[in-house]
Amino acid sequence: MQPLPSDLEAVKSLYKEKYGFSDAEDYVFKARKGLDERGVAEISHLKNEAPWLREYRLKALHVFAKKRMPNWGGDLSAIDFNNVYYYIRPSERSEDNWEDVPEYIKNTFDRLGIPEAEKKGLLGGVGAQYESEVVYHSLQEQWTKQGVLFLDPDSALRDHADLFRRWFGKVIPVADNKFAALNSAVFSGGSFIYVPPGVKVTVPLQAYFRINAKNMGQFERTLIIADRGSDVHYVEGCTAPVYSSDSLHSAVVELVALEGAHIRYTTIQNWSNNVYNLVTKRALAHAGAFVEWVDCNLGSKVTMKYPSVYMVGAGARAEILSLAFAADGQHQDAGGKVVHAAPDTRSTIVSKSISKGRGKTTYRGLVKVERGAERAKSHVQCDALLLDPESVSETFPYIENEEDRATLTHEATVSKVGEDQLFYLMSRGLPQVHAMNLIVRGFAESIVKEMPMEYAVEMNRLIEIQMEGAVG
Amino acid sequence: MDRHEIEAWMDRRREPEWLRRLRLEAFEAYERTPLPALQEEEWRRTDARRIPLGRVVLNGFRDGALHEEHTSGHPAGVAAYLESGPRRTGAWMETAYSKRGLILTDMELALREHADLMRPHLEGSALSLERDKFAALHAAVWHGGWFLRVPEGERIEQPIWVRSWLPRSHRFAGPRTLIVAERRSRVIVIEERESEPGADAAFHCPGVEIVCGESAEVVVVTIDRRGDDVWDVSHERARVGASASLTWIVLHLGTLARKTFLETSLEGAGAEARMVGLSLLDGVRQSDVVSTFHHGAPRTRGDIVFGGVSRDRGRSVYRGRIVVPRHARGTDSHLTHRVLLMSPDARAESIPILEIEANDVKCKHAASQGAIDPDQLFYLMSRGLPRVEAERTLALAFVEDLIGRAPAGWVQERLRERVAERFNR
């Protein structure tokens, strides 16, 4: 192994070197900072949208203005909504040939290693978003032939308006929360996926999100519909340059798993430490459907994100795996929500949080069982690992039960790295820094192992970067 | 109710100046504090606007009229006995103990005779006015209740028994309980709270304070059997000193609707506290309990087991917090919440919370909710027990696991008897 830098600055410079570089701005369109009706109408106009969507955006803007900031969770007091660029268009259109993507953007993604996996055939499709727009989108022929759609929302609205409109905003309504309203007003980019009945997409579809400009706000919108008996795995990753001023990322992700469908949604969140990451993610699981969220949060300044599954059909299943790592100056307020609204539904939430230095992790979760969800079963397991005396961990699980025939269990633990474990590894000749790395990786293992190999390798590498400087 | 009314009331009670000042400060806090809103996390599940604050009156209690001692019959096997209510009907104590300075008496009497002992605890009360409007109300108008003081080094083997009761005529009560166990003392105290049901809703706003001195060993058992017409907002708090140990057992069998705050502060190094709680809910009764274990010193240990059984339309909410600040190294704390739902209309919410700022800790919580195990039910029924009987047996078995954590013998018997009584209604 290469020698390890041992302080915070070193960690920052490592991130900066790998992901935190920035490009000169050479944009087709950059809106002015701030948020008002004119700006929202301008986005809609630039995208040549139908009147209903324009109205939808404007309505959402009013809801956003009316809703109060959450008085719980992370500290959002430093967000200045007037100091954010809500829309930046980096290129004229979304390309389906990598060669046609503007040179500097291509270089960025090359440097991040994004096209590699596609070339190797490990992915079924790739989307790449730079600032507000998707600059590249492709889907392997074998899937297009079977009727799978993997598009950016603008193309979906243009070519499949009925399908899009039928589900858009149905899982997460405008007024769900302040940031969902914000996204509904200014959303741009993201993914639209439709998998026809019975089609099983055997390789993951991947989207990669990149923020480049200072004070950028990225508001992508993702809608995935898995029709009856279909199967799809979506993976998203993200990075941003390191700036001294803050950026805002506020996505809305809606999943619909129809009867017997299976959706797995994997996130590797690695924003730089100047990004507020306030995301609403929710899935509807119909009868016999199975939805999995694998949600890993390593980056950002403050993350507030609670992927949820509403099980509305009998026998639906939900699994939420949440991994959070907060180093100095970070607050990962993550978790998950499951709502059992039908009989014989089952859910599992596993959360692993690691706090380092003055980092703070919060697990916030809800298990709700509605009356009539007979024989519903749910198990929640939250473990927190505190690496330093200043590290902070909070656990707020809510269990609300209206059904006497449901079985619900919850367990949580908080502890530090076991001295006996550390001693054992060090007695075998491992330096302390490697021993700590191993223990933390072991702690995260149950979630990391759920990822495809390539991503698991990447995850372990990211954990290692976060671990830099953990011991002096 | 205004300031003048309170001043006149205090005149009638001939209260000392320092207490008058405390009450007036609290009344000011009461007046400026709004009712807790439904948006406030701890009040989201109980609508404070429904609490019958209109019942609050100042002249409803004894006004310090009573002086004479009754020494009527007392139960066997106890060290001391007190009936606490608007009129005193019974008080008894083993002479040896009273000679050595054990005090068990009504608050009104205690204020006259033991003000010097109580003043530091009342002035430095851990029942914070700022907590909410009801805490301030209690601090302003409390009356009745009782005072127990166990002198330093006194180890009392038999339990101390207190019965608190309120007649139908009293639709408001705000009793204050103060238990002071001095250094190295040992005591088991069991209180049963009762009230006579009336035609309309009653409002109770009690406050309880338990002070465990260094190395004291204290067991406090509360059995609440008040009438099903009572709205109750109660603030109860224990402070546990260095190397002291507190076992706090709370059995909720009565009241229509309750909002109970149970706070345990482990203030000295090596302090230890166990809490066992049980809410038995039937009819349309509801219970909303917030318990907090605050680990304020190194090497403290906490263990909470809270159980709920809901029948009919009973609804229970339990919010249990474990708080470990940075300096509380070596904390070991567990919390378990278990719920048994026995009817389709019963509901329960569990909110176990960990707030940890130190890393040299072991903290755990667990929660489970479910119905009676159908296999166990089938087994009992196959042995000839009717369904109702089998269900009751299994529910009592669920409860037994909690009762088994109380001191064996007299206390456990009493708990069992009271639970069975409620179940058989």
Side-chain angles (χ1 to χ4, degrees), chain A residues 94-166:
Chain A
S94 169
E95 305 291 349
D96 51 14
N97 186 343
W98 187 241
E99 295 312 315
D100 297 335
V101 173
E103 199 61 30
Y104 74 99
I105 297 179
K106 211 160 57 185
N107 287 342
T108 294
F109 284 112
D110 277 338
R111 210 170 144 185
L112 295 167
I114 307 311
E116 279 305 302
E118 192 193 6
K119 275 184 221 150
K120 286 189 205 155
L122 295 168
L123 298 170
V126 173
Q129 175 159 348
Y130 193 87
E131 312 293 32
S132 300
E133 292 294 359
V134 175
V135 293
Y136 172 67
H137 235 284
S138 78
L139 182 63
Q140 280 176 2
E141 208 188 333
Q142 73 174 112
W143 306 118
T144 43
K145 270 193 196 151
Q146 295 187 57
V148 177
L149 302 176
F150 181 30
L151 303 163
D152 63 276
D154 291 350
S155 312
L157 272 162
R158 196 180 56 227
D159 303 335
H160 306 277
D162 289 348
L163 191 58
F164 187 91
R165 198 174 168 181
R166 185 166 158 211

Side-chain angles (χ1 to χ4, degrees), chain A residues 3 21-22 163 171 201 229 235 335 348 375 461:
Chain A
F21 58 88
S22 60
L163 191 58
V171 185
V201 185
V235 187
T348 308
R375 299 172 299 280
R461 207 163 60 90

